Amino acid sequence: MNRQRILLGFACLVVLGIVPGLGAEKLVFSELWDPSTVSARIFWDLRLPRLVLTLSLGGILALVGGTYQSLFRNPLCEPYVLGISSAVLLGVISSELFLQHPAGTPVSISMGMLAALGLVAVLIVFSASPLGSPERVVLFGMSANFVLSSLLFLALSMQSQNVGGGTLKWFFGFLPWPSWQEGLWAVGGGLVTLVILGSASQALEVLRLGDAVARTLGVAPVATRNLLLVFTSLVMAGVVAFSGTIGFVGLVIPQVCRFLFRPNSMKELMLLSFVMGAAFLSLADGLSRALVPPYEFPVGVLTTLLGGPLFLWVLWKKK
Amino acid sequence: MGSVEEKMKPVMLKAVQLVVGFEKGSPLNQVPLNFSLPQKGLVALTGTNGSGKTTLLRSLLGEKTLLSGNWFWDGISIPVQKWSAGNLSKHIAYLPQEPLYESTQTVQDHWRLASKVRSFRFDLQNLASELGLSLNQRLGEMSSGQRQRAFLGRVLLQPCQLMILDEPTNHLDTELKQDIWRTLKQLSQGQLIWLATHDTENVTSYCDEMISLSSTI
């Protein structure tokens, strides 16, 4: 059991060491400490903040995925299952179309968050009565997702006529070159998410035993689920506004962690997922820049290409 | 509803005019249920399949299966079905008929979940060996009999005044059943245990009282 964990730690170190070196521009190692050189500027001002961003986003995606799988008692759940991403993107694109505030601006991010909260409110109201069961939340979320993504396609087709191109990136995920400030925001968000979901980990384990048992163990099921829904939706709204929908990290990483490390508790699973998700997304991002330079693939294509076979391997081994 | 002999024992839980069933479904009992449960002892809940045993038990636990009537707990004015989870956990421990579980969890991790409430009643290691389990076994890698014992262990560990067990001897062979019945009998000297069961033979030899539901009521 421990050997796998040591390997994960080692893999993370390798990712940290290699990924900033990947990209169209070859870095000269000896120039990194001289701020006037191109290598140093690319390394310190572009690739390091980007690495910090991908580590945080990857960690968050895996964490939220693991949380949803446990919360909804369904191994197929991933962070986008409830339609949050469609809602956020609809908000972001509406702000660009109707308010002339392009993606990434505060107005656009606020619109995205508002749309996510609106969706969660609808989910809570519709799925809470009469039973409030986790299955109902997922079913409502999935149907909301269908409706919202058709609306999104509609908005996108309008947008591409007006503004032109670039819309596919929202669906396959993309990563900006963030400033240090943005990168540190993402780190803060990642750590807050880790602490809050980590502190909810025992409640999640209790909820896993069913609502009636959870009550006799002191956990109010509906209230806990709703709180977690609101929190994770806000987090995901932030993630989507930054990076579109990056598929597979949230679905695959928690599953792979379960299989590889057989963690004893939800807390352990969360920590492992966070670390592995961070390393996985950063590696995918590095590869997306390094495969056919100077072209950069949407990172979601890489996560799916890497994650798909990984998932199949786990399923194969598990049978 | 079979008549319950009203003895002069102190009452802990009282059912007043209960009608149970599912929302938008027809009620499971035509005649409202009225009975009371003592502070201590082993009480059986019997009845044919579909007579509403599980539904009745769950109506105590905040599930919306109470169409009308109230559950009253001695000295507490809010009906039990409206209690907060915090309040429920101080008084009631519950074993469902088909417990949900995380298959990668070990017996020890599963039992630890009961510690969220208060400190354990038993030493984990002792309880495990008494139930013939090892603490490091994973729930997903056990036989259904072993798993049932692990679930029972979780409930036995949780300090409570009322233990509600839905078919606790499910999946157990005859010898183990006897062990469990004896353990429950012993525990019931100090608290109330209410259990739904089809095990009529043992009900007559171990239980102090019996409440029976029939679909013809």
Side-chain angles (χ1 to χ4, degrees):
Chain A
M1 226 42 59
N2 274 328
R3 210 179 51 193
Q4 277 92 334
R5 286 174 204 214
I6 293 167
L7 273 176
L8 173 66
F10 188 68
C12 290
L13 287 180
V14 171
V15 166
L16 289 179
I18 285 181
V19 168
L22 297 176
E25 194 70 36
K26 294 268 176 298
L27 298 184
V28 183
F29 189 73
S30 56
E31 288 178 1
L32 290 187
W33 311 105
D34 178 0
S36 63
T37 60
V38 176
S39 283
R41 273 164 53 205
I42 288 179
F43 182 78
W44 294 105
D45 296 341
L46 290 173
R47 291 194 186 163
L48 265 196
R50 168 94 159 227
L51 178 64
V52 160
L53 177 77
T54 53
L55 287 172
S56 314
L57 293 184
I60 290 175
L61 284 173
L63 204 53
V64 174
T67 302
Y68 279 5
Q69 284 163 15
S70 171
L71 191 63
F72 300 124
R73 298 172 200 145
N74 186 338
L76 290 177
C77 280
E78 41 94 33
Y80 308 108
V81 74
L82 301 176
I84 296 295
S85 58
S86 310
V88 173
L89 291 183
L90 209 53
V92 167
I93 284 157
S94 305
S95 102
E96 184 164 337
L97 274 181
F98 305 118
L99 305 175
Q100 278 75 48
H101 284 277
T105 56
V107 172
S108 150
I109 293 177
S110 318
M111 285 279 285
M113 295 225 169
L114 267 181
L117 281 183
L119 172 66
V120 171
V122 171
L123 275 183
I124 288 175
V125 168
F126 276 91
S127 63
S129 68
L131 290 172
S133 70
E135 293 78 13
R136 279 177 73 89
V137 179
V138 176
L139 284 175
F140 271 99
M142 283 174 70
S143 6
N145 199 6
F146 282 121
V147 176
L148 288 171
S149 22
S150 347
L151 286 176
L152 185 60
F153 271 111
L154 205 68
L156 282 175
S157 54
M158 280 167 74
Q159 189 211 33
S160 54
Q161 279 164 12
N162 291 342
V163 189
T167 51
L168 265 183
K169 67 180 188 181
W170 291 107
F171 294 104
F172 287 103
F174 65 94
L175 290 162
W177 291 102
S179 63
W180 267 111
Q181 200 188 2
E182 287 169 315
L184 291 178
W185 266 104
V187 173
L191 292 180
V192 167
T193 310
L194 184 62
V195 168
I196 289 187
L197 291 182
S199 61
S201 62
Q202 205 186 1
L204 275 170
E205 283 175 330
V206 169
L207 278 180
R208 192 75 180 70
L209 307 182
D211 288 4
V213 175
R215 282 191 203 95
T216 63
L217 291 171
V219 175
V222 177
T224 308
R225 264 199 296 276
N226 289 349
L227 265 178
L228 284 171
L229 263 184
V230 171
F231 175 71
T232 50
S233 304
L234 281 177
V235 171
M236 284 311 298
V239 171
V240 171
F242 247 107
S243 63
T245 49
I246 302 174
F248 252 62
V249 183
L251 175 69
V252 169
I253 298 299
Q255 305 271 17
V256 173
C257 283
R258 265 171 211 275
F259 170 74
L260 275 184
F261 308 117
R262 314 221 312 165
N264 284 328
S265 65
M266 192 68 204
K267 200 169 267 175
E268 222 179 311
L269 174 68
M270 283 180 166
L271 206 58
L272 289 165
S273 302
F274 189 82
V275 172
M276 195 163 178
F280 180 76
L281 185 62
S282 304
L283 183 67
D285 177 44
L287 291 178
S288 80
R289 300 195 304 257
L291 283 182
V292 191
Y295 185 73
E296 185 181 325
F297 289 103
V299 71
V301 174
L302 259 294
T303 55
T304 313
L305 279 178
L306 290 174
L310 195 63
F311 198 40
L312 285 176
W313 173 72
V314 166
L315 287 178
W316 178 257
K317 285 290 208 181
K318 227 176 167 178
K319 66 174 180 175
Chain B
M1 159 85 224
S3 69
V4 181
E5 218 178 312
E6 278 286 346
K7 294 173 190 162
M8 296 304 287
K9 282 183 193 166
V11 166
M12 179 153 71
L13 187 64
K14 218 173 169 145
V16 181
Q17 296 289 96
L18 295 185
V19 178
V20 294
F22 294 100
E23 259 180 313
K24 291 174 190 156
S26 54
L28 289 168
N29 55 315
Q30 307 304 325
V31 182
L33 302 171
N34 290 287
F35 59 89
S36 49
L37 299 172
Q39 283 182 343
K40 287 173 192 170
L42 192 54
V43 180
L45 175 64
T46 59
T48 51
N49 286 327
S51 59
K53 297 189 295 293
T54 298
T55 319
L56 178 64
L57 295 179
R58 287 190 159 232
S59 72
L60 258 170
L61 303 166
E63 303 277 289
K64 291 174 179 156
T65 57
L66 203 54
L67 300 179
S68 66
N70 277 310
W71 282 108
F72 287 109
W73 192 277
D74 174 48
I76 298 181
S77 55
I78 308 166
V80 182
Q81 76 270 11
K82 291 182 180 153
W83 283 5
S84 68
N87 209 1
L88 265 180
S89 67
K90 284 184 202 134
H91 296 87
I92 300 177
Y94 170 58
L95 174 72
Q97 191 175 0
E98 299 289 345
L100 298 172
Y101 62 97
E102 181 72 66
S103 58
T104 52
Q105 217 164 36
T106 62
V107 173
Q108 181 163 355
D109 302 323
H110 185 69
W111 286 358
R112 282 258 156 79
L113 297 179
S115 73
K116 196 169 161 46
V117 188
R118 265 171 295 157
S119 54
F120 291 135
R121 286 209 278 207
F122 303 100
D123 175 65
L124 292 191
Q125 193 60 59
N126 285 348
L127 183 66
S129 52
E130 234 165 87
L131 290 169
L133 300 169
S134 104
L135 286 175
N136 295 323
Q137 266 175 301
R138 286 176 196 270
L139 295 177
E141 293 162 5
M142 295 171 129
S143 73
S144 38
Q146 287 175 314
R147 204 153 42 225
Q148 181 69 9
R149 279 176 271 157
F151 297 147
L152 253 170
R154 198 262 304 153
V155 182
L156 293 176
L157 282 167
Q158 185 183 341
C160 64
Q161 286 162 281
L162 167 59
M163 192 183 284
I164 297 178
L165 308 172
D166 200 346
E167 309 274 2
T169 51
N170 256 357
H171 308 294
L172 301 182
D173 53 42
T174 329
E175 205 173 313
L176 265 166
K177 267 186 196 168
Q178 291 299 327
D179 285 347
I180 297 296
W181 276 105
R182 271 193 294 273
T183 309
L184 294 179
K185 184 71 190 169
Q186 212 177 345
L187 271 174
S188 72
Q189 309 298 318
Q191 69 160 106
L192 177 60
I193 300 178
W194 192 22
L195 54 96
T197 181
H198 286 289
D199 191 353
T200 35
E201 250 173 68
N202 285 311
V203 167
T204 36
S205 40
Y206 287 101
C207 288
D208 305 307
E209 290 182 29
M210 182 170 89
I211 290 167
S212 76
L213 300 174
S214 66
S215 42
T216 53
I217 47 174

